[in-house]
């Protein structure tokens, strides 16, 4: 069993930056592929960025060059550095952990980009 707790969301002006954190509890964190998803009001949830247990990363086209996902297996934490934020990045951001048939979700953290 893995529990995920996100933090770091908030209100930021366009062009600003935020760093989201997702702290995991439980065992075998390094075995999990981790990802960040987001869902804006009235829109479908979308994958923002993912990182494999080997450290390979992938990004949605809309965030490439602006967002960076990373992980610290010693701290059991995955991060999402978000730069150049835009109003369309406003959403609830949730992290996930996947290992085989196991999938876990955090409760999400709100990111609002507005002047």
């Amino acid at each position: 069993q893995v529990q995920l707790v996100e933090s770091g969301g908030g209100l930021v002006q366009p062009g600003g930056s935020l760093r989201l954190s997702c702290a995991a509890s439980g065992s075998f964190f390094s075995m999990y592929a981790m990802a960040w998803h987001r869902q804006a009001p009235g829109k479908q949830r979308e994958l923002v960025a993912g990182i494999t247990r080997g450290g390979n990363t992938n990004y949605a086209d809309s965030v490439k060059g602006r967002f960076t996902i990373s992980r610290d297996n010693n701290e059991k934490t995955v991060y999402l550095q978000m730069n150049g934020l835009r109003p369309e990045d406003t959403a609830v951001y949730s992290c996930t952990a996947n290992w085989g048939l196991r999938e876990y979700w955090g409760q999400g953290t709100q990111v609002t980009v507005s002047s």
Side-chain angles (χ1 to χ4, degrees):
Q1 185 78 12
V2 172
Q3 293 183 327
L4 304 171
V5 179
E6 300 96 335
S7 61
L11 173 64
V12 64
Q13 291 187 343
S17 298
L18 283 175
R19 189 176 82 153
L20 305 183
S21 300
C22 173
S25 62
S27 302
F28 305 111
F29 174 80
S30 63
M31 299 300 290
Y32 286 84
M34 304 296 295
W36 287 94
H37 294 76
R38 68 185 180 187
Q39 187 165 22
K43 294 187 177 181
Q44 286 190 329
R45 186 169 57 206
E46 63 171 338
L47 173 66
V48 176
I51 185 166
T52 67
R53 59 187 186 184
N56 294 319
T57 59
N58 63 284
Y59 298 92
D61 287 342
S62 59
V63 307
K64 281 181 181 177
R66 300 188 297 125
F67 290 11
T68 303
I69 189 171
S70 61
R71 66 189 297 161
D72 184 332
N73 289 336
N74 290 328
E75 296 295 325
K76 295 183 181 180
T77 301
V78 63
Y79 302 98
L80 185 67
Q81 177 67 44
M82 305 186 295
N83 299 326
L85 283 161
R86 305 167 180 169
E88 54 264 38
D89 294 319
T90 295
V92 175
Y93 286 70
S94 302
C95 70
T96 61
N98 291 86
W99 180 21
L101 297 179
R102 302 176 179 89
E103 181 177 84
Y104 303 98
W105 286 76
Q107 84 290 350
T109 184
Q110 176 71 45
V111 171
T112 302
V113 184
S114 175
S115 55

